[in-house]
Short mmCIF file of all heavy atoms in Angstrom, two decimals:
data_model
loop_
_atom_site.label_atom_id
_atom_site.label_comp_id
_atom_site.label_asym_id
_atom_site.label_seq_id
_atom_site.Cartn_x
_atom_site.Cartn_y
_atom_site.Cartn_z
N PHE A 81 -20.29 9.05 8.28
CA PHE A 81 -19.34 9.40 9.15
C PHE A 81 -17.87 9.61 8.44
O PHE A 81 -17.50 8.62 7.76
CB PHE A 81 -19.19 8.24 10.26
CG PHE A 81 -18.31 8.65 11.40
CD1 PHE A 81 -18.72 9.49 12.37
CD2 PHE A 81 -17.00 8.24 11.51
CE1 PHE A 81 -17.91 9.96 13.41
CE2 PHE A 81 -16.15 8.61 12.50
CZ PHE A 81 -16.60 9.45 13.47
N GLY A 82 -17.32 10.73 8.65
CA GLY A 82 -15.90 11.00 8.01
C GLY A 82 -14.77 10.45 8.67
O GLY A 82 -14.70 10.47 9.93
N CYS A 83 -13.74 10.02 8.08
CA CYS A 83 -12.56 9.32 8.56
C CYS A 83 -11.27 9.96 8.38
O CYS A 83 -10.28 9.52 8.87
CB CYS A 83 -12.35 7.93 8.12
SG CYS A 83 -13.87 6.88 8.35
N TRP A 84 -11.29 11.30 7.72
CA TRP A 84 -10.08 11.93 7.67
C TRP A 84 -9.50 12.40 8.96
O TRP A 84 -10.16 12.94 9.88
CB TRP A 84 -10.17 13.16 6.76
CG TRP A 84 -9.01 14.01 6.42
CD1 TRP A 84 -7.73 13.42 6.19
CD2 TRP A 84 -8.93 15.21 6.21
NE1 TRP A 84 -6.90 14.48 5.91
CE2 TRP A 84 -7.56 15.71 5.93
CE3 TRP A 84 -9.80 16.44 6.41
CZ2 TRP A 84 -7.15 16.96 5.67
CZ3 TRP A 84 -9.42 17.66 6.11
CH2 TRP A 84 -7.97 17.95 5.79
N LYS A 85 -8.07 12.22 9.20
CA LYS A 85 -7.39 12.76 10.36
C LYS A 85 -7.77 11.88 11.63
O LYS A 85 -7.44 12.38 12.76
CB LYS A 85 -7.54 14.14 10.64
CG LYS A 85 -6.98 15.07 9.52
CD LYS A 85 -6.94 16.49 9.97
CE LYS A 85 -7.93 17.36 9.40
NZ LYS A 85 -8.92 17.96 10.36
N ASP A 107 -17.00 6.95 5.53
CA ASP A 107 -16.36 7.63 4.36
C ASP A 107 -14.88 7.59 4.74
O ASP A 107 -14.30 8.32 5.49
CB ASP A 107 -16.80 9.08 4.32
CG ASP A 107 -16.19 9.78 3.07
OD1 ASP A 107 -16.55 9.37 1.92
OD2 ASP A 107 -15.27 10.60 3.23
N SER A 108 -14.20 6.65 3.84
CA SER A 108 -12.88 6.27 4.15
C SER A 108 -11.98 6.74 2.87
O SER A 108 -12.57 7.13 1.97
CB SER A 108 -12.73 4.81 4.43
OG SER A 108 -11.45 4.32 4.61
N TYR A 112 -6.13 8.46 3.90
CA TYR A 112 -6.35 8.85 5.31
C TYR A 112 -5.47 8.03 6.19
O TYR A 112 -5.27 8.23 7.45
CB TYR A 112 -7.84 8.81 5.75
CG TYR A 112 -8.75 9.59 5.00
CD1 TYR A 112 -10.16 9.38 5.00
CD2 TYR A 112 -8.33 10.68 4.23
CE1 TYR A 112 -11.00 10.14 4.21
CE2 TYR A 112 -9.20 11.59 3.49
CZ TYR A 112 -10.46 11.28 3.51
OH TYR A 112 -11.33 12.01 2.85
N LYS A 141 -11.72 5.70 -1.49
CA LYS A 141 -11.40 6.56 -2.53
C LYS A 141 -9.99 5.98 -3.17
O LYS A 141 -9.09 5.52 -2.50
CB LYS A 141 -11.14 7.97 -2.15
CG LYS A 141 -12.29 8.48 -1.38
CD LYS A 141 -12.35 9.79 -1.01
CE LYS A 141 -13.50 10.17 -0.15
NZ LYS A 141 -13.23 10.01 1.41
N HIS A 174 -10.41 10.06 -5.91
CA HIS A 174 -10.30 11.09 -4.82
C HIS A 174 -9.93 12.44 -5.40
O HIS A 174 -10.60 13.43 -4.94
CB HIS A 174 -9.08 10.57 -3.91
CG HIS A 174 -9.08 11.16 -2.62
ND1 HIS A 174 -8.52 10.53 -1.45
CD2 HIS A 174 -9.70 12.32 -2.09
CE1 HIS A 174 -8.79 11.23 -0.42
NE2 HIS A 174 -9.47 12.36 -0.73
N PHE A 175 -9.10 12.60 -6.36
CA PHE A 175 -8.73 13.86 -6.98
C PHE A 175 -8.53 13.63 -8.46
O PHE A 175 -7.97 12.67 -8.80
CB PHE A 175 -7.46 14.46 -6.47
CG PHE A 175 -7.61 15.06 -5.12
CD1 PHE A 175 -7.30 14.37 -3.99
CD2 PHE A 175 -7.96 16.38 -4.96
CE1 PHE A 175 -7.42 15.04 -2.66
CE2 PHE A 175 -8.07 17.03 -3.72
CZ PHE A 175 -7.73 16.34 -2.51
N SER A 230 -14.48 12.78 -6.83
CA SER A 230 -14.34 13.72 -5.77
C SER A 230 -13.49 14.88 -6.29
O SER A 230 -12.51 14.63 -7.08
CB SER A 230 -13.81 13.14 -4.49
OG SER A 230 -13.51 14.04 -3.55
N ASN A 231 -13.77 16.09 -5.94
CA ASN A 231 -12.96 17.23 -6.25
C ASN A 231 -12.93 17.49 -7.74
O ASN A 231 -11.99 18.13 -8.28
CB ASN A 231 -11.54 17.11 -5.69
CG ASN A 231 -11.52 17.06 -4.26
OD1 ASN A 231 -11.90 18.03 -3.52
ND2 ASN A 231 -10.94 15.98 -3.71
N GLN A 252 -18.30 14.13 -4.53
CA GLN A 252 -18.04 14.63 -3.30
C GLN A 252 -17.18 15.79 -3.37
O GLN A 252 -15.96 15.70 -3.97
CB GLN A 252 -17.37 13.39 -2.48
CG GLN A 252 -17.08 13.90 -1.06
CD GLN A 252 -16.48 12.76 -0.09
OE1 GLN A 252 -15.28 12.92 0.25
NE2 GLN A 252 -17.21 11.96 0.32
N ALA A 277 -21.33 16.70 0.49
CA ALA A 277 -20.44 17.74 0.99
C ALA A 277 -19.40 17.16 1.91
O ALA A 277 -19.57 16.38 2.77
CB ALA A 277 -21.28 18.68 1.78
N TYR A 278 -18.20 17.68 1.72
CA TYR A 278 -17.19 17.36 2.76
C TYR A 278 -16.71 18.53 3.46
O TYR A 278 -16.94 19.59 2.91
CB TYR A 278 -15.98 16.44 2.10
CG TYR A 278 -14.87 17.11 1.37
CD1 TYR A 278 -14.11 18.14 1.78
CD2 TYR A 278 -14.76 16.78 0.05
CE1 TYR A 278 -13.06 18.73 1.13
CE2 TYR A 278 -13.79 17.35 -0.81
CZ TYR A 278 -12.92 18.37 -0.26
OH TYR A 278 -11.98 18.94 -1.06
N SER A 279 -16.17 18.42 4.60
CA SER A 279 -15.83 19.55 5.50
C SER A 279 -17.07 20.51 5.62
O SER A 279 -16.87 21.79 5.46
CB SER A 279 -14.53 20.23 5.01
OG SER A 279 -13.52 19.39 4.84
N SER A 280 -18.26 20.00 5.97
CA SER A 280 -19.40 20.81 6.25
C SER A 280 -19.17 21.85 7.35
O SER A 280 -19.97 22.85 7.30
CB SER A 280 -20.56 19.98 6.72
OG SER A 280 -20.80 19.02 5.69
N PHE A 281 -18.22 21.72 8.17
CA PHE A 281 -18.08 22.81 9.22
C PHE A 281 -17.02 23.80 8.82
O PHE A 281 -16.48 24.57 9.68
CB PHE A 281 -17.69 22.07 10.53
CG PHE A 281 -18.68 21.11 11.11
CD1 PHE A 281 -18.27 19.94 11.73
CD2 PHE A 281 -20.01 21.28 10.78
CE1 PHE A 281 -19.29 18.97 12.22
CE2 PHE A 281 -20.93 20.40 11.16
CZ PHE A 281 -20.58 19.16 11.94
N GLY A 282 -16.74 23.92 7.50
CA GLY A 282 -15.79 24.87 6.96
C GLY A 282 -14.59 24.93 7.59
O GLY A 282 -13.76 23.93 7.54
N THR A 284 -13.46 24.75 10.56
CA THR A 284 -13.32 24.03 11.76
C THR A 284 -12.28 22.93 11.70
O THR A 284 -11.30 22.79 12.51
CB THR A 284 -14.53 23.33 12.24
OG1 THR A 284 -15.63 24.35 12.18
CG2 THR A 284 -14.56 22.89 13.73
N SER A 285 -12.31 22.12 10.57
CA SER A 285 -11.46 20.94 10.39
C SER A 285 -9.98 21.38 9.98
O SER A 285 -9.15 20.69 10.14
CB SER A 285 -12.06 20.07 9.27
OG SER A 285 -11.11 19.11 8.83
N PHE A 286 -9.86 22.64 9.45
CA PHE A 286 -8.67 22.99 9.01
C PHE A 286 -7.66 23.76 9.85
O PHE A 286 -6.62 24.11 9.46
CB PHE A 286 -8.86 23.69 7.60
CG PHE A 286 -9.44 22.90 6.62
CD1 PHE A 286 -10.80 22.65 6.47
CD2 PHE A 286 -8.59 22.05 5.80
CE1 PHE A 286 -11.35 21.77 5.62
CE2 PHE A 286 -9.20 21.09 4.87
CZ PHE A 286 -10.65 21.05 4.86
N PHE A 301 -19.00 28.33 13.59
CA PHE A 301 -19.91 28.13 14.66
C PHE A 301 -20.04 29.48 15.50
O PHE A 301 -20.94 29.62 16.43
CB PHE A 301 -19.46 27.12 15.69
CG PHE A 301 -19.28 25.81 14.98
CD1 PHE A 301 -18.53 24.67 15.49
CD2 PHE A 301 -20.14 25.44 13.86
CE1 PHE A 301 -18.50 23.54 14.96
CE2 PHE A 301 -20.00 24.14 13.20
CZ PHE A 301 -19.14 23.21 13.79
N SER A 318 -23.37 23.55 14.80
CA SER A 318 -23.04 22.47 13.96
C SER A 318 -24.26 21.84 13.18
O SER A 318 -24.25 21.48 12.16
CB SER A 318 -22.18 21.45 14.77
OG SER A 318 -23.07 21.10 15.97
N VAL A 333 -20.89 14.22 5.68
CA VAL A 333 -20.08 13.11 6.36
C VAL A 333 -19.18 13.75 7.47
O VAL A 333 -17.96 13.69 7.42
CB VAL A 333 -19.07 12.37 5.31
CG1 VAL A 333 -20.03 11.34 4.51
CG2 VAL A 333 -18.35 13.25 4.31
N PRO A 334 -20.00 14.34 8.45
CA PRO A 334 -19.04 14.94 9.52
C PRO A 334 -18.34 13.96 10.39
O PRO A 334 -18.66 12.74 10.41
CB PRO A 334 -20.27 15.41 10.41
CG PRO A 334 -21.48 14.53 10.21
CD PRO A 334 -21.31 14.26 8.85
N LYS A 335 -17.26 14.47 10.89
CA LYS A 335 -16.37 13.57 11.72
C LYS A 335 -16.11 14.19 13.15
O LYS A 335 -16.01 15.35 13.29
CB LYS A 335 -14.97 13.63 10.97
CG LYS A 335 -13.84 12.95 11.67
CD LYS A 335 -12.70 13.86 11.73
CE LYS A 335 -11.92 13.71 12.97
NZ LYS A 335 -10.78 14.48 13.10
N SER A 336 -16.20 13.31 14.07
CA SER A 336 -16.00 13.66 15.51
C SER A 336 -15.56 12.34 16.21
O SER A 336 -16.24 11.43 16.01
CB SER A 336 -17.22 14.27 16.06
OG SER A 336 -16.95 14.51 17.45
N LEU A 337 -14.68 12.44 17.05
CA LEU A 337 -14.34 11.33 17.90
C LEU A 337 -15.16 11.19 19.17
O LEU A 337 -15.23 10.28 19.86
CB LEU A 337 -12.84 11.49 18.44
CG LEU A 337 -11.74 11.58 17.34
CD1 LEU A 337 -10.30 11.26 18.00
CD2 LEU A 337 -11.90 10.54 16.21
N ARG A 341 -21.04 14.32 20.27
CA ARG A 341 -21.05 15.03 19.08
C ARG A 341 -21.50 14.24 17.92
O ARG A 341 -22.15 14.71 16.91
CB ARG A 341 -19.69 15.77 18.83
CG ARG A 341 -19.35 16.99 19.60
CD ARG A 341 -18.03 17.46 19.32
NE ARG A 341 -17.84 18.82 20.11
CZ ARG A 341 -16.64 19.38 19.92
NH1 ARG A 341 -15.67 18.95 19.17
NH2 ARG A 341 -16.57 20.58 20.53
N MET A 344 -25.13 14.27 18.12
CA MET A 344 -25.68 15.57 17.82
C MET A 344 -25.60 15.79 16.28
O MET A 344 -26.63 16.23 15.74
CB MET A 344 -24.70 16.60 18.41
CG MET A 344 -25.17 17.99 18.55
SD MET A 344 -23.83 19.09 18.93
CE MET A 344 -23.70 18.84 20.60
N ASN A 345 -24.58 15.33 15.65
CA ASN A 345 -24.47 15.48 14.18
C ASN A 345 -25.58 14.65 13.47
O ASN A 345 -26.17 15.05 12.49
CB ASN A 345 -23.06 15.13 13.69
CG ASN A 345 -21.97 16.12 14.20
OD1 ASN A 345 -22.44 17.23 14.72
ND2 ASN A 345 -20.79 15.72 14.15
N ASN A 371 -9.68 23.25 1.49
CA ASN A 371 -8.96 22.11 1.06
C ASN A 371 -8.41 22.38 -0.29
O ASN A 371 -8.76 21.92 -1.36
CB ASN A 371 -9.78 20.73 1.01
CG ASN A 371 -8.91 19.57 0.95
OD1 ASN A 371 -7.75 19.56 1.46
ND2 ASN A 371 -9.51 18.65 0.38
P1 LIG B 239 -15.76 18.29 9.43
O1 LIG B 239 -16.31 19.50 8.70
O2 LIG B 239 -16.53 17.03 9.60
O3 LIG B 239 -15.28 18.93 10.87
C1 LIG B 239 -14.59 18.10 11.65
C2 LIG B 239 -14.10 19.09 12.98
O4 LIG B 239 -15.39 19.52 13.48
C3 LIG B 239 -13.39 18.21 13.90
O5 LIG B 239 -12.37 19.15 14.52
C4 LIG B 239 -14.40 17.88 14.97
O6 LIG B 239 -13.82 17.88 16.29
C5 LIG B 239 -15.27 19.10 14.88
N1 LIG B 239 -16.65 18.82 15.22
C6 LIG B 239 -17.44 17.69 14.78
N2 LIG B 239 -18.66 17.67 15.27
C7 LIG B 239 -18.83 18.74 16.12
C8 LIG B 239 -19.93 19.32 16.79
N3 LIG B 239 -20.97 18.76 16.91
N4 LIG B 239 -19.65 20.50 17.44
C9 LIG B 239 -18.48 21.08 17.46
N5 LIG B 239 -17.32 20.60 16.69
C10 LIG B 239 -17.59 19.43 16.07
O7 LIG B 239 -14.43 17.97 8.80
P2 LIG B 239 -13.57 17.08 7.81
O8 LIG B 239 -13.13 15.80 8.53
O9 LIG B 239 -12.69 17.87 7.03
O10 LIG B 239 -14.78 16.64 6.81
C11 LIG B 239 -15.50 15.44 7.02
C12 LIG B 239 -15.19 14.20 6.11
O11 LIG B 239 -15.26 14.56 4.74
C13 LIG B 239 -13.68 13.75 6.28
O12 LIG B 239 -13.56 13.15 7.55
C14 LIG B 239 -13.60 12.95 5.09
O13 LIG B 239 -14.18 11.69 5.34
C15 LIG B 239 -14.28 13.65 4.01
N6 LIG B 239 -13.39 14.58 3.23
C16 LIG B 239 -13.11 14.33 2.00
C17 LIG B 239 -12.26 15.06 1.19
C18 LIG B 239 -12.00 14.78 -0.13
O14 LIG B 239 -11.12 15.17 -0.83
N7 LIG B 239 -12.86 13.94 -0.84
C19 LIG B 239 -11.55 16.12 1.82
C20 LIG B 239 -11.77 16.40 3.22
C21 LIG B 239 -12.65 15.56 3.91
#
Side-chain angles (χ1 to χ4, degrees):
F81 188 80
C83 297
W84 183 35
K85 292 193 259 114
D107 185 72
S108 179
Y112 299 162
K141 310 185 189 90
H174 202 151
F175 281 96
S230 179
N231 297 302
Q252 182 180 107
Y278 73 68
S279 303
S280 295
F281 301 148
T284 315
S285 168
F286 295 89
F301 300 158
S318 51
V333 284
K335 171 229 153 185
S336 173
L337 301 194
R341 284 180 172 178
M344 193 194 284
N345 294 343
N371 197 26

